[in-house]
Amino acid sequence: MTEKAKPLTDLAIANAAVMKPILEIAENAGIPEEAVEQYGRYKAKIDVNKLPVTQSFGKVVLVTATSPTPAGEGKSTVTVGLADALSRLGEKSMIALREPSLGPVMGMKGGAAGGGYAQVLPMEEINLHFNGDIHAITTANNALSALIDNHIHQGNTLGIDPRRITWKRALDMNDRALRHITIGLGGPTQGVPREDGFDITVASEIMAVFCLATSLPDLKERLSQMVIGYTYQKEAVTVRDLGVEGALTLLLKEAFKPNLVQTIEGTPALIHGGPFANIAHGCNSLMATNTARQLADIVVTEAGFGSDLGAEKFMDIKARKGGFAPDAVVVVTTIRALKMHGGVAKSDLGAENVQAVMDGIVNLEKHLETVRAFGVQPVVALNRFITDSSAELDYVLKWCKDKGVRAALTDVWGLGGEGGLDLAKQVLELIDEPNDFAPLYNVEQSVVEKITTIVQKVYGGKGIVLTDKARKDLIQIEQNGWDILPVCMAKTQYSFSDDPKKLGRPEDFTITIREIIPKLGAGFLVCLTGDIMTMPGLPKTPAALNMDIDEKGNAVGLM
Amino acid sequence: MTEKAKPLTDLAIANAAVMKPILEIAENAGIPEEAVEQYGRYKAKIDVNKLPVTQSFGKVVLVTATSPTPAGEGKSTVTVGLADALSRLGEKSMIALREPSLGPVMGMKGGAAGGGYAQVLPMEEINLHFNGDIHAITTANNALSALIDNHIHQGNTLGIDPRRITWKRALDMNDRALRHITIGLGGPTQGVPREDGFDITVASEIMAVFCLATSLPDLKERLSQMVIGYTYQKEAVTVRDLGVEGALTLLLKEAFKPNLVQTIEGTPALIHGGPFANIAHGCNSLMATNTARQLADIVVTEAGFGSDLGAEKFMDIKARKGGFAPDAVVVVTTIRALKMHGGVAKSDLGAENVQAVMDGIVNLEKHLETVRAFGVQPVVALNRFITDSSAELDYVLKWCKDKGVRAALTDVWGLGGEGGLDLAKQVLELIDEPNDFAPLYNVEQSVVEKITTIVQKVYGGKGIVLTDKARKDLIQIEQNGWDILPVCMAKTQYSFSDDPKKLGRPEDFTITIREIIPKLGAGFLVCLTGDIMTMPGLPKTPAALNMDIDEKGNAVGLM
């Protein structure tokens, strides 16, 4: 597969691949048959209570990337290819990934299951509904909304102020028309009128709770702590006050089991939970990561977008809660992406332009600094594309060498695990070295200190500005004693700053905090910056327009 | 199990039952292993393209009931128990049922998988999310909504009038606050403001299309024909105009495979599709019924609520489209229900009251007349309850005998199939007799004639009244040539009339048609009567408040 005269689509490659029965994948991964609940022939849910008990846990390799551009970086592809390469080297490796949201699948992005010969399968089912987990979360979210509105309609004994309900409805959809709505119209039998809105499900607190809970009882406890709004006396109202945490847990209990699938090369992958990294915490479930650590010697996992978003949250939120440290961090980048950070337009990426690579490499530089700020060493995965010139590739590899950073060329899209062997070898060296991982801030610091730390050390900004709304939020958070929680930044993925147009390595900027939302179930404070939206919109020509089935009933148009 | 000193809950009985592996159920039903896609150990989806071809099709037994009361009739329970009894008599039988909607599960009703020793299993998973089919329909429905609003927002080249969009969003939830909403608020980047509302998913046209389509290409064709609204020139806009029928079909393609489960006694059951019978057509999918007819000699199926709703639609819509006839119709009733129709309050149902049974039996009488109006013979299943007196039971059985109607006492809740043997024997006699089945009206009749026929022959009313809105709808329907479609009445289930308080056998009433909505994909015209709502609300004390998981992670509080 070194010749790519007529490149196949990801879907065509996925459909041509021969999958192993999922029971065989499970057996190879050390999962006993009684723990496997098959969903079709090639997907399964794992009952973790039926896994063998172990005291040794695998090492964790986190894959992140430079700031995303329309050129594409291939982070999921490298994650899959790296694990396949580790398998080829005889390592017992396993992948832990997020589930794709239907919003981007129908909107912009197509699928999210890797690409080329480094994919997880069955690609089509992973991208569409995937065992119903996200639908279960949507359902629990909206059941809570219906129960809140019904409580108010039926007499409102808790005294919930309809103007101060912070719990929003959710759909796994890009649907801007649902951002700001009014509900309960039509007269006294149709509910109590109030303002509301829908977030995309992957931004909902239940998704975050789902991904950070370590057991069903923990899930229930966290759900009970979620704040849904305030009374007329401005007292917080929680799910526990409504008495519905049991019903919500029941709705989630099957979804809460991690999903097992396989790569094209047969490496086992757990795909579970899918919060976005720009508006949520951006990592797959702790259940999946912990299960993979229990079963494999090396777990390759991914966090969303660049190191400023998913990786920061992986370190400061997920690893802190999970009590583990990443043993290595892979930073994926491409020549094309660096050229865009160097100011080249997407249409001009085909032409060699070493100067643009030199100009854009500051973005990579900052991401590497960010990784090191957590006391962990990075490896650069320079993910090859057919238009890359030797001069461009050589420049980046030499730049890394000069900086004392490990780097490897990868071609996992075209070659699968074979194209990630050099990266795998460097990762194996790195994970045997000691590391000084620590989250970037202590939770005891003030909220402003915590945010400022992230802005300065991760984004490279000067400091922060709070809007009046954010100041009011902060007072309320401090009065309730919620200021001891970590923070979860909601920021554009395209720039280190809160302005998506500032590519490369912006400097001298401040970050404006528009609103701070306490998420007590998830256990963090969401800080909204810039224009970031918790419900995306569809583009002018949505990917849905190209989707279809063929005469045999197979999927067409998934990318 | 004749002693019921301490009756167990349905959930406790379900949990105590020992299920067979679904592959064994499939094998016994004649389904080859390659057609079985397991979803866990006890559920499967069936790939109908991999079933053996047959030219002989099983007989169809339809189970309906007297008008529902809070006393309960046990229609699903009798459906399951009858099939189990047929199996005990050596008949190759199979069940075709609807999937439960989460709305009533969370709201009022608990589950919908039969009861006692006549249940389909796994009860808990059938009641919650069940293989994700309804979620897939919700998703397709709301993807279409998002694509419509995005089309308008991005320039509206089709010229869709935002005031005349008839396509509504949907959730599988009882949520009255979403009946009337305004969306797209917040300024020019947040979509185009307009009025909208959510229906419960089981009332959505996609659910109806899903249940009436006979193949994936047919599903796609029907989806493409759905009208979503009108242009500024008042021309109908369809899904085909938007070009998204392929994407919607892709979202539904896995859900479209019927689901195989088993009864407590091991009879195979296909559970697939779940439109309500009061606001939609109330029958499981044609795919499931046809698959069951292909595999078994006798298919026991159920249509929602009384014969005035589900059964009428089964005959006039589903059987007409499917090209088959029901060979027998079972009308389920209970002494308690008849007493309520005779004017007894729910709290007084425990005491013997033969007079009330005599007063209430007119409801049964009308349902039997309705069944016979279709040229099919009924069998009464008098479903025993522990408080029934011999005098009450004897009265009903003698009344049936005097009327020349077959009748059988059933106790399937307590005894499973054993309690349905007499009913099964009578059904077996009946299906060997010739029958003169025909739908009640010809589609070529005018819309008013078709509705009037149903009101007079099925409900026993005098005639109909059209509101001004309905008259306007009718003119538009006639102008577009859509008046040749069958009608799907949306009417309260509690009364033959459109007033839920008129129990028994109301007379001299007219039915008010409030609105007529063309559903070109489903292929019928929905006629809204009285106060019927396409989005239910939650009661003061929702069933959700009692739901939980126990320390082992098992469901608690599902009824």
Side-chain angles (χ1 to χ4, degrees):
Chain A
M1 269 313 300
T2 41
E3 292 277 327
K4 282 188 289 183
K6 251 195 172 177
L8 292 162
T9 65
D10 290 350
L11 182 57
I13 293 170
N15 285 343
V18 178
M19 288 182 274
K20 292 180 188 155
I22 199 66
L23 281 173
E24 189 180 328
I25 297 291
E27 192 184 345
N28 293 344
I31 303 171
E33 192 174 335
E34 65 264 28
V36 182
E37 298 175 5
Q38 285 187 250
Y39 275 58
R41 283 177 176 64
Y42 306 110
K43 301 179 295 173
K45 283 203 163 274
I46 305 302
D47 185 343
V48 297
N49 298 317
K50 294 180 179 153
L51 291 179
V53 177
T54 177
Q55 297 309 321
S56 80
F57 291 93
K59 302 220 169 189
V60 175
V61 179
L62 174 67
V63 180
T64 182
T66 46
S67 305
T69 65
E73 289 69 37
K75 190 170 38 145
S76 303
T77 308
V78 169
T79 303
V80 172
L82 170 58
D84 283 339
L86 289 165
S87 297
R88 282 173 184 247
L89 294 175
E91 300 293 332
K92 190 169 181 189
S93 71
M94 200 160 193
I95 296 168
L97 277 181
R98 287 175 300 158
E99 308 187 39
S101 163
L102 265 173
V105 170
M106 304 298 286
M108 197 88 95
K109 206 177 163 187
Y117 289 86
Q119 290 191 56
V120 275
L121 302 176
M123 181 265 211
E124 177 189 320
E125 292 169 52
I126 292 170
N127 278 309
L128 299 173
H129 310 303
F130 195 37
N131 296 356
D133 295 352
I134 298 185
H135 293 324
I137 293 171
T138 302
T139 302
N141 187 101
N142 296 334
L144 178 53
S145 291
L147 289 159
I148 293 167
D149 279 306
N150 188 58
H151 179 89
I152 297 172
H153 177 75
Q154 303 279 5
N156 199 6
T157 50
L158 289 172
I160 300 168
D161 184 345
R163 303 164 305 177
R164 289 196 167 84
I165 294 171
T166 48
W167 190 259
K168 289 166 81 178
R169 286 175 165 83
L171 282 180
D172 185 31
M173 196 69 65
N174 284 7
D175 194 347
R176 72 171 67 70
L178 293 180
R179 284 175 191 154
H180 302 287
I181 68 175
T182 54
I183 63 167
L185 306 178
T189 61
Q190 322 277 3
V192 176
R194 66 179 183 89
E195 289 183 48
D196 195 13
F198 281 72
D199 285 338
I200 189 163
T201 302
V202 291
S204 77
E205 183 170 4
I206 295 186
M207 176 58 91
V209 165
F210 184 92
C211 287
L212 290 168
T214 51
S215 66
L216 263 188
D218 183 40
L219 178 69
K220 182 175 159 186
E221 175 59 28
R222 286 167 174 276
L223 291 170
S224 76
Q225 291 170 4
M226 298 191 303
V227 171
I228 62 92
Y230 299 86
T231 65
Y232 287 106
Q233 285 74 40
K234 299 188 186 170
E235 303 281 334
V237 179
T238 64
V239 169
R240 197 192 306 277
D241 296 327
L242 287 161
V244 298
E245 66 271 24
L248 302 188
T249 309
L250 181 56
L251 285 169
L252 295 170
K253 87 184 182 68
E254 295 304 312
F256 193 61
K257 298 171 181 168
N259 306 293
L260 178 70
V261 291
Q262 62 190 287
T263 69
I264 288 184
E265 300 190 3
T267 303
L270 292 177
I271 306 195
H272 198 227
F276 281 169
N278 51 354
I279 49 182
H281 81 280
C283 311
N284 64 259
S285 74
L286 252 179
M287 285 296 289
T289 304
N290 283 342
T291 304
R293 287 174 64 224
Q294 194 176 336
L295 292 163
D297 295 327
I298 305 179
V299 178
V300 185
T301 189
E302 182 222 61
F305 299 124
S307 73
D308 50 329
L309 289 167
E312 186 273 314
K313 295 165 188 179
F314 183 92
M315 314 273 202
D316 280 328
I317 296 173
K318 180 175 173 175
R320 190 197 303 260
K321 301 238 181 219
F324 61 82
D327 297 281
V329 177
V330 174
V331 180
V332 180
T333 194
T334 59
I335 294 295
R336 289 160 58 86
L338 294 177
K339 284 198 257 189
M340 285 199 90
H341 282 292
V344 175
K346 194 181 173 192
S347 52
D348 298 333
L349 288 175
E352 177 178 282
N353 190 338
V354 179
Q355 185 58 49
V357 176
M358 293 168 70
D359 293 341
I361 208 159
V362 290
N363 186 267
L364 174 62
E365 179 182 47
K366 179 68 192 105
H367 284 286
L368 296 172
E369 287 175 22
T370 296
V371 172
R372 285 174 158 163
F374 287 92
V376 194
Q377 289 307 311
V379 190
V380 172
L382 182 55
N383 196 19
R384 280 190 93 143
F385 195 79
I386 197 156
T387 55
D388 302 343
S389 79
S390 308
E392 291 169 331
L393 294 167
D394 289 346
Y395 172 78
V396 175
L397 294 174
K398 181 166 184 306
W399 180 92
C400 289
K401 198 173 175 189
D402 292 346
K403 293 268 175 184
V405 177
R406 283 185 176 81
L409 265 181
T410 58
D411 184 8
V412 292
W413 196 100
L415 300 173
E418 181 73 30
L421 288 175
D422 184 28
L423 176 64
K425 285 172 194 160
Q426 303 216 33
V427 165
L428 286 175
E429 281 174 31
L430 185 53
I431 59 177
D432 281 337
E433 292 179 9
N435 89 44
D436 305 313
F437 170 73
L440 215 56
Y441 54 81
N442 291 317
V443 289
E444 293 77 17
Q445 290 177 270
S446 75
V447 175
V448 166
E449 281 170 350
K450 285 182 274 201
I451 304 172
T452 306
T453 300
I454 292 171
V455 168
Q456 291 175 345
K457 295 203 186 161
V458 176
Y459 305 164
K462 281 193 302 189
I464 65 171
V465 175
L466 298 179
T467 63
D468 288 348
K469 169 82 175 89
R471 277 179 207 285
K472 275 189 200 164
D473 292 341
L474 199 49
I475 290 167
Q476 189 181 41
I477 285 164
E478 286 165 354
Q479 282 171 346
N480 280 285
W482 300 332
D483 50 334
I484 53 152
L485 294 172
V487 296
C488 179
M489 303 296 287
K491 182 184 75 69
T492 176
Q493 65 269 32
Y494 297 114
S495 171
F496 281 108
S497 76
D498 57 9
D499 176 356
K501 296 200 189 70
K502 290 187 179 157
L503 303 192
R505 181 176 185 163
E507 285 178 342
D508 280 335
F509 60 89
T510 56
I511 295 277
T512 302
I513 310 295
R514 207 173 74 209
E515 193 176 344
I516 307 178
I517 308 166
K519 303 275 189 184
L520 301 196
F524 53 60
L525 307 171
V526 171
C527 304
L528 294 181
T529 74
D531 293 328
I532 194 79
M533 299 278 185
T534 49
M535 171 56 94
L538 288 168
K540 180 136 190 163
T541 308
L545 296 182
N546 300 317
M547 292 181 184
D548 205 349
I549 52 161
D550 65 16
E551 65 285 352
K552 286 182 186 159
N554 296 316
V556 173
L558 281 175
M559 287 175 292
Chain B
M1 273 311 302
T2 45
E3 293 274 329
K4 283 187 288 183
K6 253 194 170 179
L8 293 162
T9 65
D10 291 348
L11 182 57
I13 293 170
N15 285 344
V18 178
M19 287 182 272
K20 292 179 188 153
I22 199 66
L23 280 174
E24 190 180 328
I25 297 290
E27 193 185 344
N28 293 344
I31 303 170
E33 191 173 336
E34 64 264 29
V36 181
E37 298 175 5
Q38 284 189 250
Y39 275 58
R41 282 178 177 63
Y42 306 109
K43 299 178 296 171
K45 282 202 163 275
I46 305 302
D47 186 341
V48 297
N49 297 317
K50 294 179 179 154
L51 291 179
V53 176
T54 175
Q55 296 309 319
S56 80
F57 291 93
K59 302 218 169 190
V60 176
V61 179
L62 174 66
V63 180
T64 182
T66 46
S67 305
T69 65
E73 290 68 38
K75 189 168 36 132
S76 302
T77 309
V78 169
T79 304
V80 172
L82 170 58
D84 283 340
L86 289 164
S87 297
R88 281 174 185 246
L89 293 174
E91 299 292 333
K92 190 167 183 191
S93 71
M94 199 161 192
I95 296 168
L97 278 181
R98 287 175 300 158
E99 309 187 39
S101 161
L102 265 173
V105 170
M106 304 299 286
M108 196 85 97
K109 206 177 162 186
Y117 289 87
Q119 291 190 56
V120 276
L121 303 175
M123 182 267 212
E124 175 189 322
E125 291 168 51
I126 292 170
N127 278 310
L128 300 172
H129 309 305
F130 196 35
N131 295 359
D133 295 352
I134 299 185
H135 293 324
I137 293 170
T138 303
T139 302
N141 187 102
N142 296 332
L144 178 53
S145 290
L147 289 159
I148 293 167
D149 280 306
N150 188 58
H151 179 90
I152 298 173
H153 177 76
Q154 303 279 4
N156 199 7
T157 50
L158 290 172
I160 300 168
D161 184 345
R163 303 164 306 176
R164 289 195 168 85
I165 293 171
T166 49
W167 189 259
K168 290 166 80 179
R169 287 175 164 83
L171 282 179
D172 185 30
M173 195 70 66
N174 284 7
D175 195 347
R176 71 171 66 71
L178 293 179
R179 284 176 191 152
H180 302 288
I181 68 175
T182 53
I183 63 168
L185 306 178
T189 60
Q190 322 275 3
V192 176
R194 66 178 182 89
E195 289 183 47
D196 196 11
F198 282 71
D199 287 338
I200 189 162
T201 302
V202 291
S204 77
E205 184 169 3
I206 294 186
M207 176 58 90
V209 164
F210 184 92
C211 287
L212 291 168
T214 51
S215 66
L216 264 187
D218 183 39
L219 178 69
K220 182 175 160 187
E221 176 58 28
R222 286 168 172 275
L223 291 169
S224 75
Q225 292 171 4
M226 298 192 303
V227 171
I228 62 95
Y230 299 86
T231 65
Y232 288 107
Q233 285 73 41
K234 300 191 186 168
E235 302 281 334
V237 179
T238 64
V239 169
R240 197 193 307 276
D241 296 328
L242 287 162
V244 298
E245 66 272 22
L248 302 188
T249 309
L250 181 55
L251 285 169
L252 295 170
K253 87 184 183 68
E254 295 304 311
F256 194 61
K257 298 172 181 165
N259 306 293
L260 178 70
V261 292
Q262 63 190 288
T263 69
I264 288 184
E265 301 189 3
T267 302
L270 292 177
I271 305 195
H272 198 227
F276 282 170
N278 51 354
I279 49 183
H281 81 280
C283 310
N284 63 260
S285 73
L286 253 178
M287 286 296 288
T289 304
N290 283 343
T291 304
R293 287 174 65 223
Q294 194 175 339
L295 292 163
D297 295 327
I298 305 180
V299 178
V300 185
T301 189
E302 182 222 60
F305 301 126
S307 72
D308 50 329
L309 289 166
E312 185 274 314
K313 295 164 186 178
F314 182 92
M315 315 273 203
D316 280 329
I317 297 173
K318 181 175 171 176
R320 190 196 303 260
K321 301 238 183 221
F324 60 82
D327 297 282
V329 177
V330 174
V331 180
V332 181
T333 194
T334 59
I335 295 295
R336 289 159 58 86
L338 294 177
K339 283 198 258 189
M340 286 199 89
H341 282 292
V344 175
K346 193 180 174 193
S347 52
D348 298 333
L349 288 175
E352 176 178 281
N353 190 338
V354 178
Q355 185 58 48
V357 176
M358 293 167 71
D359 293 342
I361 208 158
V362 290
N363 186 267
L364 175 62
E365 180 181 45
K366 179 66 192 109
H367 284 286
L368 296 172
E369 287 176 22
T370 296
V371 171
R372 285 174 157 163
F374 287 93
V376 195
Q377 290 306 311
V379 189
V380 172
L382 181 56
N383 195 19
R384 280 189 93 145
F385 195 79
I386 197 154
T387 54
D388 301 344
S389 80
S390 308
E392 291 169 329
L393 294 167
D394 289 347
Y395 173 77
V396 176
L397 294 174
K398 181 164 183 308
W399 180 91
C400 290
K401 199 173 174 190
D402 292 347
K403 293 268 173 184
V405 177
R406 284 186 175 80
L409 265 181
T410 57
D411 184 7
V412 292
W413 197 101
L415 301 173
E418 180 74 29
L421 289 175
D422 184 27
L423 176 64
K425 285 171 194 161
Q426 304 216 33
V427 165
L428 286 175
E429 281 174 31
L430 186 52
I431 59 177
D432 281 337
E433 293 178 6
N435 88 43
D436 306 313
F437 170 74
L440 215 55
Y441 54 82
N442 291 316
V443 289
E444 292 77 18
Q445 290 177 269
S446 76
V447 175
V448 166
E449 282 170 349
K450 285 182 273 199
I451 304 173
T452 306
T453 300
I454 292 171
V455 168
Q456 291 176 345
K457 295 201 185 161
V458 176
Y459 306 164
K462 282 192 302 187
I464 64 170
V465 175
L466 297 179
T467 63
D468 287 350
K469 168 83 174 91
R471 277 179 207 286
K472 275 189 200 164
D473 292 341
L474 199 49
I475 290 167
Q476 189 181 41
I477 285 164
E478 285 166 355
Q479 283 172 345
N480 280 286
W482 301 330
D483 50 334
I484 54 150
L485 295 172
V487 295
C488 180
M489 303 296 287
K491 182 184 75 66
T492 176
Q493 65 269 34
Y494 297 114
S495 172
F496 281 107
S497 76
D498 58 8
D499 176 356
K501 296 201 188 71
K502 289 187 178 155
L503 304 193
R505 181 177 184 162
E507 286 178 341
D508 279 336
F509 61 88
T510 54
I511 294 277
T512 302
I513 309 295
R514 207 172 75 211
E515 194 175 344
I516 308 178
I517 309 166
K519 304 274 189 183
L520 301 196
F524 53 60
L525 307 171
V526 171
C527 304
L528 294 181
T529 75
D531 293 330
I532 194 78
M533 299 279 185
T534 49
M535 171 55 95
L538 288 168
K540 180 138 191 161
T541 307
L545 297 181
N546 300 317
M547 292 179 185
D548 205 349
I549 52 160
D550 66 17
E551 64 285 354
K552 285 182 186 158
N554 296 316
V556 173
L558 281 175
M559 287 175 291

